[in-house]
Amino acid sequence: GLENSSEDKRVKADKRHTIDMQLPGFQWLQGISVDSAGRKFDNLCPRSPAVLAKVEDDWRLRNALKILTEVGLENGGRLITARSPFEVRNNTSHAISLTLNPDPTHKPKSIEKTKDRFFEHIDPGDSFQIPTLLLESSLNLDGSHLGCVRIRPD
């Protein structure tokens, strides 16, 4: 065909594979390329105008609001993984417990699952991704923080 024909443009468009993804509380991430294997950070943009204004005013919050997207090849297809950029890795010889709460002033009375906090047990050598929902919940509170993570031996 001709160099500028519609068929030529369609073939070029078909060579680019992308996906769109949305995390709760954040705007759609559009055009995440899955053409080649690798890792990259994508920016998360809050849906709430008040939270967006808070994030735009504080470079620390802006830098923390990312999602790690990883494209891998598996069984002839592509495997797309989205992860929090914050990870707790247990490099000790004993298990540890995490208590997560969006309010940094929260003082847990006991380590257990309840409505207002989250508990996680991490064995030696294991890791845990801090949920983006913790970040999103903390941004809806007053102040410039991303919640609270308390760690103790199990």
Side-chain angles (χ1 to χ4, degrees):
L2 298 173
E3 187 173 320
N4 293 326
S5 70
S6 61
E7 182 179 330
D8 187 53
K9 289 177 185 174
R10 189 177 67 245
V11 169
K12 286 181 182 178
D14 290 344
K15 290 183 181 179
R16 186 166 187 268
H17 300 91
T18 63
I19 62 164
D20 297 342
M21 171 176 54
Q22 184 180 31
L23 298 173
F26 297 99
Q27 295 177 10
W28 280 91
L29 292 169
Q30 295 181 327
I32 298 172
S33 176
V34 295
D35 285 326
S36 58
R39 295 179 181 175
K40 74 174 195 140
F41 287 98
D42 287 297
N43 294 319
L44 293 174
C45 186
R47 291 179 55 199
S48 160
V51 173
L52 180 59
K54 182 194 299 191
V55 169
E56 288 176 345
D57 287 344
D58 190 330
W59 64 270
R60 297 167 300 174
L61 295 176
R62 194 170 48 249
N63 286 347
L65 285 186
K66 309 270 187 210
I67 193 79
L68 177 61
T69 54
E70 181 176 3
V71 177
L73 304 175
E74 186 170 303
N75 296 329
R78 293 178 180 94
L79 175 66
I80 297 98
T81 306
R83 294 185 182 151
S84 166
F86 299 104
E87 177 181 83
V88 175
R89 182 174 300 274
N90 183 357
N91 290 329
T92 69
S93 59
H94 54 80
I96 59 174
S97 294
L98 299 180
T99 303
L100 310 170
N101 194 291
D103 183 2
T105 62
H106 177 76
K107 304 277 192 262
K109 293 179 182 159
S110 66
I111 303 278
E112 60 185 40
K113 288 183 184 179
T114 66
K115 186 177 181 180
D116 67 338
R117 62 183 176 270
F118 181 79
F119 164 79
E120 184 67 30
H121 172 87
I122 306 173
D123 288 322
D126 287 348
S127 62
F128 174 74
Q129 302 286 320
I130 302 296
T132 55
L133 283 175
L134 175 69
L135 307 179
E136 192 271 334
S137 296
S138 66
L139 289 169
N140 286 300
L141 300 175
D142 289 336
S144 295
H145 56 80
L146 294 173
C148 177
V149 177
R150 298 188 189 275
I151 303 172
R152 73 171 181 96
D154 218 10

